[in-house]
Amino acid sequence: MSVIPRIISVDDHVIEPADVWTSRLPAAYVERAPRIHIAPKGEMTLVEGAWVEAPGDGDEMAAWWHFEGRRYQIKRMVACPGMPPEEVTMEGVTYDDIAPGCYDPVARVADMEANHVEASLCFPNYPRFCGQLFSEVEDRTLGRLCIEAYNDFMIDEWCGDSAGRLIPLCVVPLWDPQLAAAEVRRNAARGCRAVAFSELPSWLGLPSIHTRHWDPFFQACEETSTVLAMHIGSGTKTVTTSPDAPTVVAANLIACNSVASMVDWLFSGVFDRFPGIQLLYAESQIGWIPYFVERADDTWQTHQWAQGEERSQRPPSDYYREHISACFFKDTVGIDLLDRIGEDNVLFETDYPHQDGTFPRSKQVAEELFGHLPQPTINKIARGNAIKLLGLDFEP
């Protein structure tokens, strides 16, 4: 009888403690550091693909991050492990309202233990999924210091005493590929093997991957075996159909971000220049992959006129198999197509503590999704592929 081994989740999240930046920035910058204020809960609206929010005037309080004139309330939907869907809202919360495992590493490991999870890779929450908040500030020194402080927190505090069970994921200065490369190397020397990057940097107003702009950064990732981890929505925008479409439309279409990103990478030429580079798509699910890889191969062959002098010598499917992994936790279609996707390219996640997350039923969810597969395949999806990709010190 097949069994689900202890899971290594490659997409979870940390709700940053209130003192991450105030306790780590140099004295001259502490007053400008991101900090928490308790203020009335506020409404939020989606404007041109981005969320806008401000405190209200009621009696119910929320924890608000304040930074450089920006305000963001910690919301129930991003800190609700195990909560029934009917109880999940977009309302603001305080730290007292949420599970300690959201922000405390000891409590997180305890929740992992209860959830059949051996190790977890955690993306940022407040700085957004690739830390782009700190690349948007005008004072680049402040932005760099905030990035370094976050990475110090991630490696030393969040992951430091977990015996490898919390896996570090760093962020970098996106405005300067040389600085980004230096930060990758700084953190790789401390055992960090993953860096958060944007699915679609041009959506952040940055150069695309079709330029050579990012080559110093990509070179550092290749040299240090650092995986580029791209969380769904890390282009900041969400795809929707119209300004008056309900938010659930964007929730369904957000996989389009990852689709666009993967096709971008397959035709970018980056894999030819950096044959050791590895990508991880997080929370993208996997069922869409076979069609778009097949379509990329077809257009590579039939649309040669549209590719110019940079046309690669190999079909896109080769690059996909060798360089791209994706993780899932809600995708029966993807499992049905696993032979087309490739069992070596698929990893599992729990998305703790977000509303979509599978806590505390991750083992049962895994059993329902892929527990019928051969044991070697189960082992790869649940943990083996993550161990190989991230160079983890666990038994496969």
Side-chain angles (χ1 to χ4, degrees), residues 69-369:
R70 306 164 188 241
R71 292 172 292 188
Y72 165 86
Q73 61 188 325
I74 299 175
K75 287 171 278 296
R76 174 71 68 193
M77 64 171 292
V78 301
C80 52
M83 183 173 289
E86 62 272 16
E87 297 180 16
V88 177
T89 67
M90 292 283 279
E91 68 176 349
V93 292
T94 68
Y95 287 95
D96 291 337
D97 299 323
I98 61 179
C102 295
Y103 56 86
D104 177 80
V106 175
R108 173 63 64 92
V109 171
D111 282 352
M112 290 161 54
E113 194 69 23
N115 197 32
H116 198 63
V117 174
E118 183 164 25
S120 167
L121 180 78
C122 293
F123 283 82
N125 183 64
Y126 170 62
R128 305 208 295 277
F129 295 149
C130 63
Q132 60 263 51
L133 171 67
F134 299 128
S135 292
E136 296 171 353
V137 299
E138 293 184 7
D139 187 334
R140 297 304 196 194
T141 299
L142 175 61
R144 177 179 57 80
L145 291 170
C146 286
I147 287 167
E148 292 173 357
Y150 177 85
N151 292 334
D152 292 345
F153 155 76
M154 170 58 57
I155 294 171
D156 299 334
E157 182 175 331
W158 183 252
C159 301
D161 294 328
S162 70
R165 297 189 64 178
L166 293 170
I167 305 164
L169 171 70
C170 70
V171 297
V172 294
L174 295 171
W175 67 87
D176 187 326
Q178 296 286 357
L179 287 178
E183 189 64 6
V184 164
R185 292 187 174 100
R186 183 177 84 94
N187 293 303
R190 301 190 291 169
C192 183
R193 290 282 305 277
V195 58
F197 189 58
S198 176
E199 293 172 307
L200 295 159
S202 63
W203 284 14
L204 302 180
L206 298 166
S208 79
I209 61 170
H210 299 286
T211 69
R212 299 295 179 96
H213 173 85
W214 296 102
D215 281 9
F217 170 61
F218 295 155
Q219 182 177 358
C221 291
E222 183 180 51
E223 287 177 2
T224 60
S225 298
T226 296
V227 176
L228 282 85
M230 297 179 288
H231 194 283
I232 199 164
S234 55
T236 293
K237 298 179 184 178
T238 53
V239 177
T240 191
T241 56
S242 64
D244 57 347
T247 304
V248 72
V249 172
N252 278 268
L253 293 178
I254 196 168
C256 296
N257 293 36
S258 297
V259 173
S261 175
M262 188 184 76
V263 175
D264 219 25
W265 275 88
L266 291 177
F267 289 101
S268 68
V270 173
F271 298 131
D272 288 325
R273 298 198 301 278
F274 303 101
I277 207 165
Q278 292 291 319
L279 310 183
L280 169 65
Y281 284 98
E283 208 171 321
S284 63
Q285 313 303 333
I286 57 176
W288 53 272
I289 291 174
Y291 168 75
F292 284 99
V293 172
E294 180 182 87
R295 175 63 176 163
D297 274 359
D298 179 71
T299 55
W300 174 79
Q301 184 61 48
T302 62
H303 290 54
Q304 296 185 26
W305 56 270
Q307 297 170 56
E309 297 179 0
E310 297 297 321
R311 181 176 184 265
S312 61
Q313 297 302 305
R314 302 167 62 201
S317 56
D318 284 0
Y319 299 118
Y320 165 74
R321 284 191 296 270
E322 296 172 10
H323 298 275
I324 297 177
S325 300
C327 61
F328 77 104
F329 63 117
K330 285 184 176 181
D331 196 338
T332 57
V333 172
I335 291 299
D336 288 345
L337 296 172
L338 187 62
D339 61 328
R340 302 285 302 274
I341 299 167
E343 64 180 43
D344 294 328
N345 300 76
V346 172
L347 301 84
F348 194 58
E349 61 167 291
T350 75
D351 197 32
Y352 181 107
H354 285 182
Q355 70 170 95
D356 274 350
T358 55
F359 176 88
R361 297 186 62 256
S362 296
K363 181 181 180 181
Q364 295 93 315
V365 170
E367 288 171 340
E368 293 162 5
L369 285 170

Side-chain angles (χ1 to χ4, degrees), residues 39-57:
K41 299 177 181 180
E43 299 294 329
M44 57 185 299
T45 54
L46 192 61
V47 179
E48 297 182 353
W51 291 107
V52 177
E53 55 189 310
D57 55 6

